[in-house]
Amino acid sequence: MHTKRADSAILSPSDEVPSYQESHEDDPLIPLNPNNAEKRLLRKLDGRILPITCFLYLFACGSFDLVLSCSHPSDYNPDLDRSNLGNARLQGLPEDVLGGDPTGLLFDWLVAIFFIPYILCQVPWTVFSKYYSPRIWIGCSAILWGICSTTMSTANDFESLLIARLGLGVFEAAFGPSVVLYFSFYYTKAEYGTRVASWFGFAAVAGAFGGLLAYGIQHVKISIANWRLLFIIEGVPTVLLGVLCLFFLPGRPESTEFLTHAERKLAIERMNRGTSGDIGAVVNQRHVIAAFLDWRVYVAGVMYFGLNCALGSLSAFLPTIIETMGHSPAISQLMTVPPYAVAGLILMIASYTSDRIQSRGLIVVSGCTLGGLGYMILLGVTQAHIHVRYLATFCIAAGTYASLGLILAWFAHNLGSETKRAAGMPLFGAIGQAGSILGSHLYPLTESPAYLRGFGVSGALMFLAALSALVLSISYRWENERRNAAFGEPDCDAPVDTSELADKAPGFRYLP
């Protein structure tokens, strides 16, 4: 059953989409070589889509890092504050707003209230986003979460902060999964991994430079509290970027005014390679149900849980490891940058490689294994070998970021239809966010610097993620071989009607 808005122009994915050459052979403005036209279109899309979405994600990660790294206010330590974005944000917040909060209970509520709507709203928001133009949906969600972040700078009591945090969780849930879905409207499976890596890599940028920003703001002498200034710095640019989205981010391929008539036709042809895209505001309710019944989505949730636990853990123990090296606060700030910078580089290399070889599973297995080995090094190496422990954080950061980005790209194709992607990807993402909560609570200062429990749990979850990725890759390869034997081997770029069966369509093939 399809649900649609009455004013939408709907074209069934099974309808024939005219080829680029057939549609424009009489158009004198169209280059004779369609390959050149496609490269020009790709450069045009990259130049408009990636800068806006990447910088929005940078500010989203800034807000999210606060939650991960500040989940233990009762363990507050001034040394950690100098190398931690979240603790810099906490400069004076409990005294100014929470009456001192000696037990840390009030701040724990501020942390938890974000995750409740952030987890619960991801699936309905992403499915609902298909009824609206992406530029309107993404732009409005950014404006609203930016307003919530800015509003927190004006809070004078616990209740007002709680409401602002609640709104932040609601509106950020509308952003991330919708952007991942939006990329699938314009990029083919041979391009998608690199674009998601470019976008997701800004999480590593946030991790690399967030601590430096906090350190700088902490030493600014102004008339308002430092934590209020940091909320303003994160909130106001987000609102401005959201407004920019409303006017400059392209909408759906079939309706955007950013593309010419010829480019729209080519974009529609591209989005139907190896699958079939929707035209207009369409939600297939059967595919929503299919996403909830697909066992592979829950296996992806297990992987995402373990990786998000590792990601949440890294911001918790990295400052402690650097602190024990005996450097000054300024040098310690700089030394938080290399692990994240290397992680961003490895993410781009892994994603580019997976796009070229059209295989993601084994690279995810490798990334998760690398991260797990990093945790094993931290468990097995004594405090005397601090440089080896620092090197292990590079393994953890690189393996975690590369694997997280590839999982998003992996399932963007393998769920088959737009609606199933809109339901399935935020579903495993919501499961994975629970790992962020766990990761931020595994490293109390009372267990510093050994953190045996935290390293052991995080490492075990990384190896579990590697095993899950291996199972998925094998299952995809087996199913592709079964369909090839039963129905023949199809052209990998030929349109496939997924409007009824999604990824179960006989002509559909998975990326293993």
Side-chain angles (χ1 to χ4, degrees):
M1 177 179 179
H2 295 273
T3 304
K4 63 185 181 183
R5 293 195 310 184
D7 60 346
S8 300
I10 305 300
L11 173 66
S12 168
S14 61
D15 292 343
E16 181 179 359
V17 178
S19 70
Y20 177 74
Q21 296 93 327
E22 291 172 351
S23 301
H24 309 293
E25 56 186 7
D26 297 326
D27 191 337
L29 300 179
I30 303 303
L32 296 178
N33 188 341
N35 291 329
N36 290 339
E38 187 162 352
K39 291 178 181 178
R40 290 177 59 205
L41 174 62
L42 192 58
R43 287 195 298 269
K44 185 175 182 179
L45 294 172
D46 286 345
R48 181 64 65 88
I49 293 173
L50 292 181
I52 297 175
T53 55
C54 286
F55 278 103
L56 274 175
Y57 193 55
L58 175 66
F59 286 100
C61 287
S63 298
F64 192 65
D65 282 344
L66 166 68
V67 180
L68 298 186
S69 55
C70 292
S71 56
H72 270 289
S74 57
D75 291 335
Y76 178 81
N77 181 292
D79 292 327
L80 288 179
D81 179 62
R82 289 193 295 266
S83 54
N84 189 294
L85 172 61
N87 284 337
R89 229 173 185 182
L90 283 175
Q91 278 284 349
L93 187 149
E95 291 75 16
D96 292 347
V97 181
L98 305 180
D101 193 23
T103 65
L105 182 61
L106 293 180
F107 195 82
D108 277 342
W109 270 106
L110 293 179
V111 171
I113 201 66
F114 172 90
F115 281 102
I116 294 173
Y118 188 75
I119 291 174
L120 294 180
C121 292
Q122 287 195 32
V123 174
W125 270 174
T126 311
V127 173
F128 198 58
S129 73
K130 281 181 53 62
Y131 287 121
Y132 295 90
S133 170
R135 65 182 178 86
I136 300 297
W137 184 268
I138 294 172
C140 288
S141 65
I143 291 171
L144 291 170
W145 106 58
I147 291 173
C148 289
S149 181
T150 306
T151 302
M152 283 190 284
S153 69
T154 67
N156 291 311
D157 54 44
F158 170 73
E159 289 75 15
S160 57
L161 264 180
L162 195 71
I163 293 172
R165 294 291 300 167
L166 181 68
L168 191 67
V170 169
F171 298 121
E172 282 204 27
F175 171 70
S178 299
V179 171
V180 176
L181 177 67
Y182 172 62
F183 281 177
S184 70
F185 299 163
Y186 284 104
Y187 297 113
T188 68
K189 61 183 179 181
E191 304 158 351
Y192 192 88
T194 306
R195 273 66 189 183
V196 169
S198 300
W199 175 74
F200 186 74
F202 270 69
V205 174
F209 296 104
L212 298 178
L213 174 64
Y215 182 76
I217 290 177
Q218 185 180 355
H219 291 81
V220 172
K221 304 301 181 181
I222 54 176
S223 59
I224 64 173
N226 291 335
W227 64 269
R228 295 185 188 273
L229 176 61
L230 193 46
F231 281 129
I232 294 172
I233 289 177
E234 288 191 348
V236 172
T238 301
V239 174
L240 297 178
L241 282 170
V243 173
L244 192 68
C245 274
L246 296 179
F247 294 97
F248 293 102
L249 192 69
R252 289 187 61 90
E254 68 275 5
S255 60
T256 180
E257 296 179 357
F258 172 64
L259 303 178
T260 66
H261 179 73
E263 290 169 337
R264 284 196 294 271
K265 290 292 186 181
L266 178 56
I268 292 172
E269 184 181 76
R270 282 164 45 85
M271 75 184 297
N272 283 275
R273 292 177 184 173
T275 181
S276 57
D278 296 336
I279 303 295
V282 179
V283 171
N284 189 321
Q285 295 178 2
R286 290 197 302 271
H287 290 186
V288 175
I289 297 173
F292 277 87
L293 298 179
D294 191 337
W295 66 272
R296 291 186 176 99
V297 172
Y298 295 97
V299 175
V302 172
M303 297 161 55
Y304 221 63
F305 182 94
L307 290 165
N308 272 287
C309 178
L311 193 62
S313 300
L314 187 62
S315 62
F317 65 76
L318 178 59
T320 301
I321 290 178
I322 295 175
E323 182 186 17
T324 58
M325 298 175 73
H327 297 295
S328 67
I331 297 299
S332 295
Q333 292 289 348
L334 292 176
M335 292 191 69
T336 64
V337 175
Y340 291 106
V342 171
L345 177 62
I346 297 300
L347 168 62
M348 293 300 301
I349 294 173
S351 299
Y352 178 83
T353 302
S354 73
D355 277 350
R356 298 285 76 77
I357 67 175
Q358 286 295 278
S359 178
R360 313 216 192 270
L362 296 182
I363 301 180
V364 174
V365 172
S366 301
C368 293
T369 302
L370 176 64
L373 290 174
Y375 279 111
M376 294 302 101
I377 292 173
L378 291 177
L379 273 176
V381 174
T382 64
Q383 306 302 314
H385 299 85
I386 191 61
H387 292 89
V388 177
R389 290 167 64 83
Y390 181 56
L391 178 63
T393 66
F394 284 77
C395 299
I396 295 168
T400 301
Y401 276 100
S403 300
L404 280 169
L406 282 174
I407 291 173
L408 295 175
W410 200 6
F411 276 80
H413 173 76
N414 283 359
L415 290 172
S417 72
E418 278 187 27
T419 300
K420 192 171 181 182
R421 285 196 293 270
M425 296 184 70
L427 177 56
F428 75 69
I431 296 171
Q433 291 306 330
S436 300
I437 304 174
L438 174 63
S440 63
H441 284 77
L442 285 175
Y443 298 88
L445 289 183
T446 54
E447 299 182 10
S448 173
Y451 292 132
L452 296 179
R453 177 172 62 105
F455 293 151
V457 171
S458 299
L461 288 173
M462 289 292 284
F463 286 123
L464 177 61
L467 178 61
S468 300
L470 182 61
V471 170
L472 280 179
S473 183
I474 292 173
S475 74
Y476 285 139
R477 294 174 189 276
W478 180 86
E479 181 61 22
N480 284 345
E481 292 176 0
R482 187 192 68 80
R483 293 183 189 180
N484 287 342
F487 307 107
E489 189 168 347
D491 180 353
C492 61
D493 286 334
V496 178
D497 183 5
T498 59
S499 59
E500 295 299 324
L501 299 176
D503 58 307
K504 305 301 182 184
F508 183 83
R509 297 296 182 271
Y510 297 104
L511 279 181

